């Protein structure tokens, strides 16, 4: 066979592998969604658990030590604290979850840029994490054997299942606390920073179940899963866990990627990049007949978001 034939065969194999990986991932998500987990029956937990599911599948072996640490923390450690900002006439709730606290201050800065555009609003914003011993989660241990039995038909090994169960414990704790803090009936819209993450996804489903409109921001670079993906770590999760009514995208490039990933066109609203909110334009003297376009994102990579004619 010629070199070109070898190249074509290799491309076909890689494309087949990536499609099979994505198909298996989505099958597992759907399998988890079909389970009405005791105490969490109102939620599609497969969709909520896309991030930890990818983490479990991407590792050659989820260690027992890791599972024990997560289990202990979920039950005995209170790590997540929130500040609330409320206004009496607010009809929009902005939610910045603890999923981003460890990522540094740039995410919170971006979040506040967006919220600054809205006058009357309520905000629920995660604070810096700190661990405090708390025995309130001990009662949650009763759920573990029941949840494990409910997941018996999901095609994962027992360690991956227990890894996911530790997240379910955190979800249960979060729901119990959020139901006490916020009444969805006050609002007409919930806006999350990124509903692919577990807490944001659950919060979104909680509000949707109450009949409240939901939207999520594009907070970074999103793309469809590459055809050459050869491991679960290559699966892009920005669109796989999308559950909000509207996806607030930066531009047409992301819109195209979202549609190719299965997101309905009616769900996508292109608003531009929030990085340019309050951005000051400067004019260079002595330069004429040129048009410049600066493209970028916080991670330092430059991608063309829109094709804008000069």
């Amino acid at each position: 066979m010629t070199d070109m034939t070898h190249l074509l065969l290799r491309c076909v194999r890689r494309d087949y592998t990536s499609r099979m990986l994505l198909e298996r991932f989505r099958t597992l998500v759907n399998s988890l969604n079909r389970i009405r987990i005791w105490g969490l029956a109102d939620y599609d937990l497969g969709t909520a658990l896309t991030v930890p599911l990818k983490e479990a599948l991407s590792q050659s072996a989820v260690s027992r030590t890791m599972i024990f640490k997560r289990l202990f923390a979920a039950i005995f450690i209170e790590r997540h604290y929130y500040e609330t900002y409320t206004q009496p006439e607010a009809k929009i709730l902005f939610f910045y979850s603890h999923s981003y606290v460890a990522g540094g201050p740039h995410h919170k800065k971006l979040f506040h840029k967006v919220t600054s555009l809205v006058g009357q609003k309520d905000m629920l914003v995660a604070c810096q994490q700190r661990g405090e011993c708390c025995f309130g989660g001990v009662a949650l241990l009763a759920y573990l054997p029941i949840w494990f039995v409910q997941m018996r038909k999901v095609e994962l090994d027992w360690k991956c299942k227990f890894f996911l169960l530790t997240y379910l414990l955190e979800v249960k704790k979060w729901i119990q606390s959020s139901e006490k803090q916020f009444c969805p009936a006050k609002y007409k819209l919930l806006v999350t920073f990124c509903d692919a993450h577990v807490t944001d996804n659950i919060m979104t489903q909680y509000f949707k179940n109450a009949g409240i409109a939901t939207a999520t921001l594009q907070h970074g670079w999103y793309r469809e899963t590459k055809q050459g993906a050869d491991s679960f770590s290559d699966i892009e999760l920005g669109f796989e866990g999308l559950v909000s009514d509207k996806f607030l995208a930066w531009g047409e490039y992301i819109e195209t990627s979202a549609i190719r990933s299965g997101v309905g066109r009616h769900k996508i609203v292109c608003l531009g990049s929030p990085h340019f909110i309050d951005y000051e334009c400067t004019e260079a003297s002595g330069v004429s007949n040129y048009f410049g376009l600066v493209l970028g994102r916080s991670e330092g990579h430059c991608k063309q978001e829109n094709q804008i004619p000069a």
Side-chain angles (χ1 to χ4, degrees), residues 48-73:
L49 294 174
T50 53
V51 173
L53 177 60
K54 174 186 174 180
E55 186 178 350
L57 292 171
S58 300
Q59 301 184 42
S60 57
V62 177
S63 69
R64 297 181 183 183
T65 303
M66 179 193 301
I67 294 172
F68 177 78
K69 287 181 178 179
R70 284 200 50 82
L71 184 63
F72 182 85

Side-chain angles (χ1 to χ4, degrees), residues 1-12:
M1 289 188 289
T2 64
D3 291 342
M4 180 60 69
T5 304
H6 279 295
L7 179 61
L8 288 173
L9 286 175
R10 188 160 60 248
C11 290
V12 169

Side-chain angles (χ1 to χ4, degrees), residues 11-275:
C11 290
V12 169
R13 290 193 198 102
R14 294 187 67 184
D15 180 50
Y16 176 77
T17 301
S18 64
R19 284 189 286 108
M20 291 299 292
L21 284 170
L22 195 54
E23 182 179 336
R24 171 159 166 71
F25 183 82
R26 290 174 175 173
T27 298
L28 288 169
V29 169
N30 291 331
S31 297
L32 290 167
N33 280 340
R34 285 193 292 270
I35 302 173
R36 296 296 94 182
I37 294 290
W38 184 51
L40 298 168
D42 294 332
Y43 300 92
D44 290 334
L45 293 171
T47 304
L49 294 174
T50 53
V51 173
L53 177 60
K54 174 186 174 180
E55 186 178 350
L57 292 171
S58 300
Q59 301 184 42
S60 57
V62 177
S63 69
R64 297 181 183 183
T65 303
M66 179 193 301
I67 294 172
F68 177 78
K69 287 181 178 179
R70 284 200 50 82
L71 184 63
F72 182 85
I75 296 171
F76 296 108
I77 305 297
E78 188 62 58
R79 296 181 297 174
H80 311 308
Y81 297 88
Y82 285 79
E83 293 177 347
T84 57
Y85 306 86
T86 59
Q87 295 177 301
E89 303 300 322
K91 295 298 180 184
I92 301 176
L93 174 63
F94 286 92
F95 179 49
Y96 182 86
S97 81
H98 55 262
S99 303
Y100 319 103
V101 173
H106 62 281
H107 280 149
K108 184 174 284 190
K109 182 179 179 181
L110 192 65
F111 173 80
H112 284 299
K113 276 190 172 186
V114 175
T115 60
S116 68
L117 301 177
V118 180
Q120 289 287 322
K121 58 184 176 288
D122 286 357
M123 295 190 295
L124 181 59
V125 182
C127 307
Q128 188 64 38
Q129 293 182 1
R130 61 184 188 275
E132 294 182 359
C133 188
C134 175
F135 293 94
V138 175
L140 297 177
L141 285 171
Y143 288 97
L144 284 179
I146 299 172
W147 290 347
F148 189 78
V149 171
Q150 286 187 287
M151 292 176 62
R152 66 190 182 278
K153 293 184 179 180
V154 179
E155 295 182 359
L156 291 170
D157 62 47
W158 71 268
K159 285 187 289 186
C160 287
K161 289 179 181 178
F162 263 103
F163 182 75
L164 295 181
L165 288 179
T166 63
Y167 279 89
L168 289 185
L169 289 173
E170 292 186 353
V171 166
K172 185 62 179 176
K173 285 175 67 176
W174 166 251
I175 290 173
Q176 290 175 342
S177 63
S178 62
E179 286 177 342
K180 296 175 184 176
Q181 292 185 55
F182 284 93
C183 176
K186 176 186 176 182
Y187 304 103
K188 292 185 178 180
L189 175 65
L190 168 74
V191 181
T192 59
F193 196 55
C194 173
D195 69 357
H197 291 277
V198 179
T199 310
D200 303 65
N201 199 288
I202 289 295
M203 189 73 158
T204 300
Q205 292 192 48
Y206 175 49
F207 271 66
K208 288 185 72 173
N209 290 342
I212 309 303
T214 58
T216 191
L217 301 169
Q218 178 190 341
H219 73 295
W221 184 253
Y222 288 31
R223 65 182 182 186
E224 59 186 307
T225 297
K226 295 179 179 178
Q227 289 188 347
D230 56 6
S231 70
F232 286 107
S233 60
D234 294 324
I235 294 177
E236 297 290 336
L237 294 179
F239 303 126
E240 296 301 319
L242 184 65
V243 71
S244 297
D245 299 312
K246 297 295 181 181
F247 171 55
L248 309 181
W250 291 0
E252 282 75 18
Y253 181 94
I254 300 300
E255 179 183 29
T256 301
S257 296
I259 292 171
R260 288 176 177 172
S261 298
V263 179
R265 187 184 298 272
H266 66 283
K267 284 192 168 189
I268 306 168
V269 181
C270 294
L271 296 180
S273 172
H275 289 286

